Amino acid sequence: MSKHQNHSQTHLGHRARKRFGQNFLNDEGIIEEIVDAINPEPGENLIEIGPGLAALTEPVADRSGHLKVVEIDRDLVERLRTHPFLNQKLDVIEADALKTDFRQFTDEKPARVFGNLPYNISTPLIFHLLSFADSIEDMHFMLQKEVVDRLAAEPGSKNYGRISVGVQQACEVTPVVYVPPSAFTPPPKVESAVVRLTPYKTSPYPVKDRKQLHSLCLTAFNQRRKTIRNNLKGLIPAEQLESLGIDPSARPEALSVQDYCKLSDWLTEQAE
């Protein structure tokens, strides 16, 4: 075996594919903690994104009796559809979650969404799901711990940024389980954690246009060392920042979620 080959991992006959960022969860104690945090019940509208080798799917199906799974990897789709225990309990949807309209699954009741998300799609997928937030009861995602830290970060901290503002505007953010690298095969080089995102029925930070807010934050946090006046130059004049109660010489991480919502609403009003 060459030194290039011995990095490939075969797990239950399935080779982890770098392209899909696959690391398989196989620590029974951690799996139970995660499933307890999700707390699936019979009759709920459960949707798993990227079930992989069904480490979470099996215990969730045991507790709930039925769930939908969205999986992009054709080999894994085939495995789930022909699985001796699970095939009766699953609706397997072969699709790219980033391009999926989740409203099609929420006609009867709001969805409870969960999954172990590959690093490369975690942020875009969470933002994609926010566009269906009114049809989602809650979301539980296993992510790199640094992403969970960013989602939960307070203004003024180094982790606070675009995704903190965008997600906290729409959801209550609660880190629920720490997951060490040893819980996976192959062990990743990073720590992981599970976060609970609960969309607000009525946000404490109302905003007229979420897409406008996300676009504003992209610009505002583009250069963290510069002042908010510099980063928003050409978009919002300094005197307008002051009249909205925002210090133009502040760094982007000093502004609260509410501040960004105020700025976003001002931009939306200019466009009307």
Side-chain angles (χ1 to χ4, degrees):
M1 184 184 282
S2 80
K3 69 182 190 334
H4 295 299
Q5 286 172 310
N6 63 11
H7 292 304
S8 67
Q9 290 276 351
T10 303
H11 190 58
L12 304 183
H14 178 84
R15 178 156 292 175
R17 290 209 238 177
K18 273 232 162 7
R19 177 160 81 93
F20 295 126
Q22 289 169 333
N23 294 83
F24 297 107
L25 183 63
N26 60 356
D27 178 314
E28 292 302 327
I30 294 279
I31 289 167
E32 195 165 338
E33 264 187 79
I34 296 169
V35 177
D36 284 347
I38 298 170
N39 190 26
E41 301 274 350
E44 291 179 331
N45 183 12
L46 291 146
I47 303 174
E48 183 177 13
I49 294 172
L53 293 175
L56 294 175
T57 320
E58 288 193 33
V60 169
D62 283 346
R63 294 199 202 181
S64 66
H66 193 269
L67 69 148
K68 300 176 184 77
V69 296
V70 179
E71 175 58 68
I72 193 172
D73 183 331
R74 188 165 293 156
D75 296 350
L76 294 178
V77 166
E78 191 52 38
R79 174 187 293 269
L80 291 165
R81 283 183 176 152
T82 56
H83 193 289
F85 318 116
L86 284 172
N87 62 356
Q88 302 299 309
K89 297 178 177 179
L90 301 183
D91 285 344
V92 183
I93 298 122
E94 185 179 343
D96 179 349
L98 278 168
K99 297 183 181 135
T100 299
D101 177 354
F102 281 82
R103 280 216 175 82
Q104 66 185 305
F105 309 131
T106 59
D107 290 346
E108 288 160 30
K109 56 179 73 165
R112 302 195 64 212
V113 181
F114 68 99
N116 170 15
L117 303 187
Y119 179 62
N120 55 339
I121 69 156
S122 58
T123 304
L125 184 59
I126 288 168
F127 278 106
H128 176 61
L129 286 162
L130 289 184
S131 57
F132 310 107
D134 53 355
S135 312
I136 293 175
E137 189 178 320
D138 59 17
M139 301 177 260
H140 289 82
F141 292 128
M142 179 148 51
L143 305 161
Q144 283 199 2
K145 184 175 175 292
E146 67 171 84
V147 178
V148 173
D149 292 344
R150 280 159 55 201
L151 289 171
E154 301 276 335
S157 70
K158 71 175 192 329
N159 286 319
Y160 179 76
R162 172 179 79 90
I163 70 169
S164 325
V165 176
V167 174
Q168 290 175 31
Q169 184 280 322
C171 303
E172 187 180 347
V173 178
T174 317
V176 286
V177 182
Y178 168 72
V179 186
S182 57
F184 298 91
T185 307
K189 293 184 174 65
V190 294
E191 298 171 280
S192 303
V194 177
V195 68
R196 176 183 297 132
L197 305 177
T198 310
Y200 292 114
K201 296 278 181 278
T202 307
S203 173
Y205 316 110
V207 74
K208 291 179 176 172
D209 181 347
R210 245 183 219 149
K211 281 199 168 65
Q212 176 67 75
L213 175 68
H214 298 164
S215 150
L216 164 71
C217 289
L218 201 57
T219 307
F221 284 98
N222 189 28
Q223 294 177 289
R224 295 179 69 97
R225 291 200 177 89
K226 291 197 168 177
T227 63
I228 198 76
R229 176 205 284 119
N230 266 338
N231 283 346
L232 298 180
K233 201 165 46 190
L235 203 57
I236 304 175
E239 51 275 21
Q240 187 55 51
L241 293 172
E242 282 175 355
S243 72
L244 290 168
I246 289 157
D247 175 2
S249 64
R251 294 270 175 89
E253 68 269 20
L255 275 63
S256 67
V257 176
Q258 195 148 10
D259 289 335
Y260 281 108
C261 291
K262 273 196 290 192
L263 292 174
S264 174
D265 283 353
W266 183 82
L267 284 168
T268 302
E269 283 157 21
Q270 303 315 297
E272 280 168 1

